[in-house]
Amino acid sequence: MKTEHLLFGAAYYDEYLPYDRIETDMEMMEKAHINVIRIAESTWSTWEPQEGVFDFTHLHRMLQASKKHNIQVIVGTPTYAVPTWLAAKYPDILTQTHAGPERYGRRQNMDITHPLYLKHAESMIRRLMEEVVPYDHVIGFQLDNETKSYDTCSAYAQAKFVEYLKEIFHNDLDALNHEFGLDYWSNRINAWEDFPDVRGTINGSLGAEYQKFQRKLVTDFLAWQCAIVKEYARPDQFITHNFDYDWRNYSFGLQPEVNQWEAAKPLTAAGFDIYHHSAADLTGAEISFGGAIARSIKKDNYLILETEAQGNHGWLHYPGQLRLQAFSHLASGSNSVMYWHWHSIHNAIESYWKGILSHNLKENSTYREACRIGSDFAKYGSHLKNLKKKADAAILLSHESLNGLQWFAIHENLKYNDIFRWIYDALYELNIECDILCETDVDLFGQYPLLITPALYSASDTLIEALRLYVENGGHLLSTFKTAFSDPMLKIYADDQPHGLTDVFGMTYDQFTDAKNVGLREIAFPQSTEEVYNEASAASRSDCVHYWMELLQPDTAQVLASYAHPHWGSYAAVTYNHYGKGSAAYLGCYCEQAVLKDLLRFLCTKAGISLPAVQYPVIIKKGINDLGKEIVYYFNYSDDVQKISYQGKDGVMLFEDKDIKDGDTISLNGWDLAIVER
């Protein structure tokens, strides 16, 4: 989404505050150059304390005060946390899950397919929109909050699932039984009315299809809300949603429960929430991979609707890190930075998920750093907004493959998102910017000299043919273990692995095992200069393969590395093959990241991708601004001063407002950044 200016703000809840201080808050926001607040998403029980009884006092206080102080507003629909009276009147609104029935108390515990939930949610949305329509400083709407299906396995959802399967299989139960392999263990379904509760299935194909169906429920739910909001929204107001990521106490990888590419289609803007470690653990990788996914959803700039200020326990930022994080979001393509939230709250579960202000609600170091960020955004925003990104590499992600590795795990420490982040983080640290693609993006493959498929377990023949054509036409492909192993229904292909691509990779395999005390030998790609990898030469590579290994049998492929093992030493671990005008490398094992980086360097050279001279902890990000000039960000993700030799045409360092020429030195203090416009 293109914006007229950078959006800088926070979530604000007048109803959560211990006393009336709305004027004080708005004055402090103005001082910090905060120009937008998010309101209303968590407050159904406040707006509608009893059925049909509405009270929008706090809503109008926030809208009127923000108007007075020239602060724009994003209004959220408050449908992700149901009021007590609704749960009491219709107890089955609280959904059934694989773990059993939900109980009232936490948020996101309802059945989003329940007709009475939808009826009351629609009533709430319409009343809210009617209240908001008169305010011209409302710039957009956020639908719900980090929506999922909440693992709903209710009778309503399962009935819809049966209808969904009837449509897919054209009402042919024989076809369903065949595709899912339900003859195994007498799981065959011989009548639609006998369809079993999905919570009991041991069939990976059926179970994964239900997960896919649950993602569709989210897509349908957001499209339903979007249609209602569009009836009231002005043409200049955007509609977004705050998508999130796989959660491991911070944002980690592809969100398993939502097909964000599909769910975002009716939206006018993609919005995301990114949370991460700070202090000594801050790397910027979460901001970067999160941004790569975010800009891929609608192939455009996006909004960061939530990120941390002080945040959760252990996330308090070192001085300078809040600013470093803010500009890292912009460098990945965001047009906003918004914090959860403005003020720390004084009770309930998120009392210690601290906002910009601490519990005393006074100025502090976080607030003062936010003031500096706001001032920088105001001064330089016209040069930094709407950044157009162009990457040389792309990673192909797949929900079906993610589910495949859930149902057929290869190691407890090696889930799909671990493999994705293993690849992404290596690229990130090498300063190779990359985009994220989904399976419907096959027409975009040719834009990228290097395409990577991490554990593409589930692949249709159509997708496999697209990968074949990509290489044939001159692309350079890197696939890891477990690529093209099953069809979209998770049925394992019955021919040589990897299915349909053995000639492209010039190799095959039919056996695999856990990797224990396995290294690599005869490495044909350049050895790293990293001390951690080279400190003991060959000995340091004697145990660099972990968790998983496929025993590759090359045909036309060049062996880039073999296994160092007394029994598996005759098999290849990494192969490289010329095919058509391009090439295809296959990485058959999970190895230490230093080895992976060496392989990526080798493949980037083959693909004609220039490698920056510097790497992590210095991170470089680039893009083209609205003025048609290139913006180059330099970030220092460390305590130590970093000196960089500037390479490129003459430019201007924005913060210093001074000229810079090729060969000049850029000095970055710890946790600092520089921006060059050229």
Side-chain angles (χ1 to χ4, degrees), residues 189-253:
I189 303 167
N190 292 306
W192 289 108
E193 56 269 25
D194 295 338
F195 207 97
D197 190 314
V198 295
R199 289 175 289 184
T201 189
I202 48 80
N203 182 282
S205 295
L206 178 59
E209 194 64 31
Y210 190 72
Q211 291 172 304
K212 182 177 180 180
F213 167 75
Q214 288 179 316
R215 290 192 288 270
K216 183 178 182 300
L217 293 180
V218 178
T219 297
D220 294 345
F221 179 75
L222 290 177
W224 168 79
Q225 280 216 24
C226 189
I228 296 171
V229 171
K230 280 182 177 177
E231 293 181 32
Y232 300 86
R234 303 188 308 266
D236 62 303
Q237 291 174 313
F238 61 80
I239 301 175
T240 189
H241 173 72
N242 58 328
F243 294 109
D244 64 351
Y245 302 87
D246 186 22
W247 185 251
R248 300 193 184 177
N249 293 319
Y250 60 99
S251 304
F252 187 78

Side-chain angles (χ1 to χ4, degrees), residues 420-489:
F420 161 50
R421 286 294 304 273
W422 172 57
I423 295 288
Y424 185 88
D425 289 3
L427 290 166
Y428 172 75
E429 292 184 9
L430 290 171
N431 276 316
I432 303 168
E433 292 201 73
C434 71
D435 288 340
I436 303 298
L437 301 178
C438 70
E439 294 165 82
T440 59
D441 288 330
V442 293
D443 291 343
L444 303 180
F445 287 1
Q447 297 180 11
Y448 300 93
L450 179 62
L451 177 64
I452 304 172
T453 67
L456 186 63
Y457 182 84
S458 168
S460 67
D461 283 324
T462 300
L463 178 56
I464 288 168
E465 181 61 22
L467 293 173
R468 171 185 291 277
L469 288 174
Y470 167 76
V471 178
E472 194 173 82
N473 291 331
H476 299 270
L477 175 66
L478 169 62
S479 294
T480 79
F481 48 90
K482 284 298 183 184
T483 284
F485 203 81
S486 81
D487 70 12
M489 299 294 184

Side-chain angles (χ1 to χ4, degrees), residues 165 169 172-182 189 192 195:
L165 291 176
F169 291 101
D172 186 343
L173 268 173
D174 286 338
L176 181 147
N177 285 307
H178 175 72
E179 288 301 316
F180 288 173
L182 291 171
I189 303 167
W192 289 108
F195 207 97

Side-chain angles (χ1 to χ4, degrees), residues 4 22 35 43 58 68 103 113-114 117 130 198 207 245 348 389 430 434 450 505 517 535 572 581 597 674:
E4 294 183 1
I22 195 167
N35 56 24
T43 49
H58 288 285
K68 174 182 174 182
R103 288 174 172 80
T113 71
H114 196 297
Y117 165 74
E130 289 166 2
V198 295
Y245 302 87
K389 303 284 293 179
L430 290 171
C434 71
L450 179 62
F505 290 112
N517 302 315
E535 60 186 2
K581 298 177 181 177
K597 286 182 181 178

